[in-house]
């Protein structure tokens, strides 16, 4: 924390080096067979993604990167050639005076939408915190938080939907079944958990259909937005704007933040990277891949807390979750032919109950996320549906 506040990477570097040395020891001690079968980093990765290896992840990420790079370049080229292509309508601009003093109404609206999505307030709480998160002791005590801002109406609302996705997974686990409290009832992996939050955030919240339901709620709560159509909201929430901060990234540039962290932590874990050179590698990558200049280490290598508390091997789960979400949602569309219209009408129960049956109640029955996806979708983890989804969506949004 002190190093980030002072943007002082040299003060942090020795601590980072010690942490990775410790995590190598932990992986070798707790997962010796996994480490011996592949590489030491596999032991760290397996703690978050059961059955996943670095070699398998290389193949998944290579295919994802190969599909994303030309799409992102095309979008950014379009933005340079036509700067107004994704301009916000005045009513939705973050600095519109209508948003001043709106935090209380934002919270009321977010709570209503959380209930509509299916969050059970009799088995959980919804509060405010500096950083949104989901926690709790068991499926009957699930706690979510978000944060609100006068200067960013989207932050609290999108954070709510994301955390509700996590919470629905937790509330939907085998809370009333024989397996309650046993390992089999636990979430399968961090990537599986992220697939649930990202499915609701990206496949639902960021869909056209959702804003047919949500725009009228915004019009009622914030009268100045009545001039903004559901299409305006949809376009506003799907703007591509590569930036410095991972947690603020759009869904098209977000995977590149993960690729960077995966490359760094894997090389550092293997002893192939000098800890002192990480900022230079970080900054060069951000410029090359996202055309973003990193002004200081606080905005670069020091922005995340994961490595500081030993979560080495965690970052890949975010993009694995996004990939899985696209596959799972495609299967849901096949199972629920009326799904888009249901979302448009604010009828979320069919999707929620399908997810509960296919994902939530299953817990850790399967040996790996690959096995879970084969049962639900017919295929293991595959970036193709994710890339198809992004290509179709952003091709239309940016007229590619």
């Amino acid at each position: 924390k002190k190093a980030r506040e002072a943007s002082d990477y040299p003060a942090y570097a020795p601590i980072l080096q010690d942490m990775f040395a410790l995590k190598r020891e932990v992986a070798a001690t707790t997962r010796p067979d996994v480490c011996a079968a592949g590489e030491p980093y596999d032991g760290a990765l397996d703690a978050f993604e059961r059955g996943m290896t670095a070699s398998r992840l290389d193949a998944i990420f290579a295919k994802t990167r190969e599909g994303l790079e030309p799409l992102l370049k095309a979008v950014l080229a379009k933005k340079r050639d036509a700067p107004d292509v994704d301009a916000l309508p005045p009513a939705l601009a973050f600095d519109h005076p209508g948003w001043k003093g709106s935090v209380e109404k934002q919270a009321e609206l977010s709570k209503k939408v959380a209930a509509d999505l299916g969050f059970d307030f009799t088995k959980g709480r919804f509060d405010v915190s500096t950083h949104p998160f989901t926690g709790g002791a068991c499926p009957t005590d699930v706690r979510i938080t978000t944060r609100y801002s006068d200067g960013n109406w989207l932050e609290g609302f999108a954070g709510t939907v994301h955390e509700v996705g996590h919470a629905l997974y937790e509330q939907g686990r085998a809370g009333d079944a024989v397996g309650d409290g046993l390992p089999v009832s636990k979430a399968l992996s961090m990537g599986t958990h992220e697939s649930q939050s990202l499915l609701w955030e990206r496949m639902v919240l960021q869909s056209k259909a959702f804003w047919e339901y949500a725009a009228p709620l915004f019009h009622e709560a914030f009268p100045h937005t009545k001039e903004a159509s559901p299409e305006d909201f949809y376009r506003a929430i799907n703007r591509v704007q590569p930036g410095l901060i991972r947690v603020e990234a759009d869904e098209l540039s977000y995977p590149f933040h993960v690729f960077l962290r995966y490359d760094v932590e894997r090389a550092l874990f293997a002893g192939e990277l000098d800890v002192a050179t990480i900022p230079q590698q970080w900054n060069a990558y951000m410029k090359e891949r996202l055309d973003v200049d990193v002004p200081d280490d606080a905005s670069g290598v020091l922005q995340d807390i994961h490595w500081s508390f030993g979560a080495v091997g965690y970052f890949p789960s975010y993009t694995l979750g996004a990939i899985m979400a696209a596959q799972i949602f495609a299967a849901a569309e096949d199972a629920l032919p009326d799904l888009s219209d249901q979302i448009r009408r604010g009828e979320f129960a069919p999707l929620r109950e399908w997810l509960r049956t296919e994902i939530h109640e299953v817990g850790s029955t399967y040996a790996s996320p690959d096995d879970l996806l084969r049962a639900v979708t017919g295929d293991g983890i595959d970036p193709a549906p994710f890339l198809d989804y992004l290509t179709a969506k952003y091709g239309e949004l940016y007229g590619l």
Side-chain angles (χ1 to χ4, degrees), residues 17 33 36 60 120 186 200 240 249 351 380 383:
Q17 186 164 313
D33 294 341
I60 293 171
D120 187 347
K186 302 300 183 182
W200 286 100
V240 176
L351 175 60

Side-chain angles (χ1 to χ4, degrees), residues 6 9 25 32 34 60 65 74 141 146 155 171 188 223 230-231 265 292 302 312 355 373 381 393 399:
Y9 179 77
E25 184 177 344
V34 172
I60 293 171
R65 189 184 292 112
D141 180 13
T146 192
E155 181 180 41
Q171 290 186 334
L188 179 58
E231 178 76 11
E265 70 177 14
V292 171
L302 293 175
V312 178
L355 290 169
L373 284 183
I381 298 173
K393 178 178 182 177

Side-chain angles (χ1 to χ4, degrees), residues 130-320:
T130 301
H131 184 79
F133 69 90
T134 299
C138 60
T140 57
D141 180 13
V142 179
R143 307 181 182 210
I144 61 175
T145 71
T146 192
R147 60 186 179 195
Y148 306 101
S149 168
D150 285 341
N152 187 339
W153 61 269
L154 185 54
E155 181 180 41
F157 190 69
T160 294
V161 175
H162 182 94
E163 298 306 329
V164 166
H166 281 304
L168 293 178
Y169 190 3
E170 288 299 307
Q171 290 186 334
R173 292 193 293 108
D176 300 319
V178 176
D180 183 21
L182 297 177
V184 72
S185 76
K186 302 300 183 182
L188 179 58
S189 74
M190 291 309 303
T192 307
H193 227 306
E194 281 299 315
S195 79
Q196 298 308 285
S197 59
L198 292 174
L199 184 148
W200 286 100
E201 179 186 358
R202 295 182 177 178
M203 322 311 290
V204 178
L205 168 69
Q206 292 181 229
S207 71
K208 282 188 178 182
F210 181 85
W211 288 99
E212 295 289 342
Y213 148 80
L217 301 179
F218 271 81
H219 294 163
E220 181 179 356
F222 310 104
H224 76 277
T225 66
K226 289 182 178 179
E227 62 190 74
S229 68
E231 178 76 11
D232 289 332
F233 279 97
Y234 168 69
R235 288 183 169 275
I237 203 170
N238 286 293
R239 297 171 77 213
V240 176
Q241 293 182 297
L244 291 163
I245 308 302
R246 175 185 60 84
V247 297
E248 297 174 359
D250 58 84
E251 65 178 336
L252 201 54
S253 62
Y254 189 102
F256 292 93
H257 290 268
V258 172
F259 299 153
L260 167 60
R261 288 154 175 80
Y262 168 62
D263 290 345
V264 168
E265 70 177 14
R266 185 182 178 189
L268 195 56
F269 205 90
E272 298 170 352
L273 179 63
D274 183 349
V275 69
T277 67
I278 294 177
Q280 289 76 26
Q281 179 174 330
W282 188 288
N283 299 350
Y285 180 99
M286 291 295 292
K287 183 62 177 177
E288 178 185 356
R289 301 294 185 177
L290 298 179
D291 195 24
V292 171
D293 293 307
V294 181
D296 52 56
D297 290 333
S299 302
V301 67
L302 293 175
Q303 66 182 265
D304 299 301
I305 65 171
H306 298 61
W307 293 336
S308 298
F309 68 84
V312 178
Y314 189 137
F315 283 118
S317 297
Y318 293 117
T319 291
L320 287 174

